[in-house]
Amino acid sequence: MYGWRGKLLRVNLSTGEIIVDQLDPKIARDYIGGRGLGIYLMNQELDPQCDPFSPENMIIMATGPLTGTKAPTGARYMVMTKSPLTGAITCSNSGGKFPAAFKQTGFDAVIFTGKADKPVYLVIENNTARLKQAGHLWGKTTHDTTDALVTETHENAKVACIGPAGENGVLFASIMNDKDRAAGRSGVGAVMGAKNLKAVVVIGDQEIPIADDAGFKAINKRLIDAFRKAAKENPPPLRLHGTAVTVMATQNYGVLPTKNWQQGTFDNWEKIHGETLTEKYLVSNSACFSCPIGCGRKTKVEEPGFEGQGEGPEYETVYAMGSNCMVDNLAAVTKANYLCNEYGMDTITMGATIACAMELYDIGLLTEKEVGRTLEWGDAKALVELTKQTAFRQGFGDLLAQGSYRLAEKYNRPELAMVSKKQEFPGYDPRGSQGMGLAYATSPIGGSHMRGDPAYFELLGVPKVIDRLEWKGKANLVKIWQDFFCVIDAAGLCVFYSVRNLGNSELEMLPTGILELINAATGANYTLEELAKAGERISNAERHFLVKAGFTRKDDSLPPRMTKEPLPDGTSGGSVCHLDEMLDDYYALRGWSNDGIPTPEKLSELGIA
């Protein structure tokens, strides 16, 4: 095979057995790879009703056919399992250097089943794999674990691992690779911890075979030359100030979540803005494998009490731990971000859960005695202290470790958790971005913008400006963009580059540039219609799993704050999200029943058993 490696690595942690399996070329073509391959395997081999923490659950780490090639941003891999936070699937995506090195070992994916008796880690080195004992690593941070494993194995090794949060079953624990890159959402790290799997180490240097090497290089050169020319004339904001530059846009549109989503603007937004991060704490940019953008932020903080260095924070962290908690101390937000990276936790859920706790405290349902301290809005020290407690499930952190929905539910106010399918929202208020509300509600993993991101066309004007407050017609665009993102994730590419450079520059986005790259790499000779259909197939395969797990229309929901309480401030003031009106249109366009279930005809059309 070209592009694909044609091999799957199966690891039974209960028995220690490791088997090399062949990747069916038809499955590769139909599901592309990455996210698509992951959901295919889950539908074939995993009981959707299983306990996420049971040995029966599986973890799939899957690359795409463009991962590890010189395709621009061909640096992504996907972690898929049944989520302990939501009970739904996960599609936890990460970049950095680890995914390319993984692909270069000779495998497309590794599939973990069972549970090890004692902590172990897996080493994959050029077509071979072995399990090793990891008891000496248990309890170590992700940074210390990475350093130890590079010393133990090979100087060129790349590591993906969990920290104390994953070991302690924090429901939103992440898997960290290259120290600070995160497969961050839905608790993939907690499932890894439940399996006593501390880390995966990859040592790979094999060239990935390309079907049309000359053609592939020519396409890459054309794309990169065009990008560099445009970047020279207008330097990309993501390169200049990272994703935290988004704070200005969401503040201006009145959709910057503030005070646990009670407001859409934050008076002190400039103190947590990306330009402020650049000015005060930036050490250097960083870039993933084969990335021309370089949006990563290597930072250092020296303020007393918040000292540290690492990577970040990203926009989502800045919203969740900053404006959402009314914290305008960027040093504290950055320190809490460092802790999440080192302990292995999702910064979105961490920040949003603390914000929910602050509201419960504000209205008198949480007491100082229960929290172990005061918990006023804007308390920077509380943000950092509670982040530490959560990773180790100490004190009040034991409750925070369950996420905002379970926290709010304990105090009989589940509506104060800003979630869909029990997963916390990213930082765009759907009352001022109607398509975003539909995307949150219908995302297969719960609240997420990375499974199809209407912020591009509603807030950023990519590919063109559209009325963000109009809900009519949004169902069709959300469906199209969700399917497009499926192709991006399955191919092994980054959304940031792909949306602006590998689509057809129309609102009805099609993967035209990805088609060129993937056909040159694999020789699969997709038509544009076939590649777009593969994205639709992945979307429906994910929904098929959710239905079998017991999800229906009632789970495609937003809290009443989004649908019944108008935004009180900003340029989106007075708006609510018209979710129910959009859902009917969305289901019809998808070929699903009015309860959100794919019809037999739709599944048959897409070849989903």
Side-chain angles (χ1 to χ4, degrees), residues 12-15 53-55 113-118 193-196:
N12 186 322
L13 293 167
S14 295
T15 65
F53 283 145
S54 70
T113 55
K115 175 183 179 179
D117 290 336
K118 298 178 180 179
K195 292 185 175 298
N196 277 328

Side-chain angles (χ1 to χ4, degrees), residues 235-249:
L238 288 177
R239 179 185 295 171
L240 293 175
H241 301 298
T243 60
V245 75
T246 309
V247 169
M248 179 184 287

Side-chain angles (χ1 to χ4, degrees), residues 5 7 9 98-109 123-128 201-208:
R5 306 316 307 267
K7 290 186 294 185
L9 188 67
F98 173 87
F102 174 28
K103 180 82 170 290
Q104 290 162 358
T105 64
F107 297 99
D108 292 295
V123 181
I124 309 173
E125 182 172 8
N126 289 341
N127 296 312
T128 64
V201 181
V202 294
I203 307 161
D205 59 10
Q206 298 181 18
E207 286 290 323
I208 297 168

